[in-house]
Amino acid sequence: MKPGVGDVDRRIGARLKLRRQQRGLTQRDVGHAAGVSCQQVQKYEAGANRISASMLWHLANALNTPVTYFYRDLGDDTHFAKATLEARDISRRELNFLSNFRAMPETYQDSVRSLVKILSQS
């Protein structure tokens, strides 16, 4: 079954929130970059307010994300739900990692970067 209009707004809003959290940004950060208030970003994320095409473009730029990211898997309820749950889990792990990473002295950060580069090549 295809999602309804309200469902699409909520799904795009959920993706907006997820991407913002993955990037470690606040609603205020995204709103400022897109030229809207943090309250407006909050309404977009909740699916309470529909996001126009031009605003979605501004939000995508603020998040350094292609606009197509927000539309992936909209027609597949099962895939979307599974992908959203997986992304939330990944997001939490990434945010935890980034928080710990940023708390390290810069010399340790450089060592971790080198280690990740080496490990990703194997």
Side-chain angles (χ1 to χ4, degrees), residues 5-61:
V5 173
D7 293 334
V8 171
D9 294 333
R10 283 189 292 279
R11 288 179 179 192
I12 289 175
R15 284 190 177 264
L16 173 65
K17 181 176 182 177
L18 178 63
R19 183 60 84 189
R20 176 183 60 78
Q21 290 174 333
Q22 288 174 332
R23 298 282 192 246
L25 299 171
T26 65
Q27 290 174 337
R28 179 171 292 194
D29 295 333
V30 173
H32 180 74
V36 296
S37 68
C38 61
Q39 291 86 358
Q40 188 62 41
V41 173
Q42 185 177 30
K43 289 177 183 180
Y44 288 150
E45 289 181 354
N49 285 10
R50 184 167 293 155
I51 305 172
S52 70
S54 60
M55 180 51 63
L56 189 58
W57 183 83
H58 288 293
L59 291 166
N61 283 333

Side-chain angles (χ1 to χ4, degrees), residues 45-105:
E45 289 181 354
N49 285 10
R50 184 167 293 155
I51 305 172
S52 70
S54 60
M55 180 51 63
L56 189 58
W57 183 83
H58 288 293
L59 291 166
N61 283 333
L63 295 167
N64 195 26
T65 300
V67 172
T68 55
Y69 164 82
F70 298 100
Y71 292 100
R72 277 189 214 138
D73 305 318
L74 281 180
D76 183 351
D77 289 343
T78 306
H79 186 318
F80 182 83
K82 182 180 176 188
T84 300
L85 289 173
E86 289 172 359
R88 283 184 186 152
D89 185 46
I90 291 169
S91 175
R92 282 189 211 113
R93 288 186 305 200
E94 288 174 350
L95 289 172
N96 189 33
F97 175 81
L98 286 173
S99 177
N100 290 327
F101 181 79
R102 289 177 179 160
M104 288 187 234

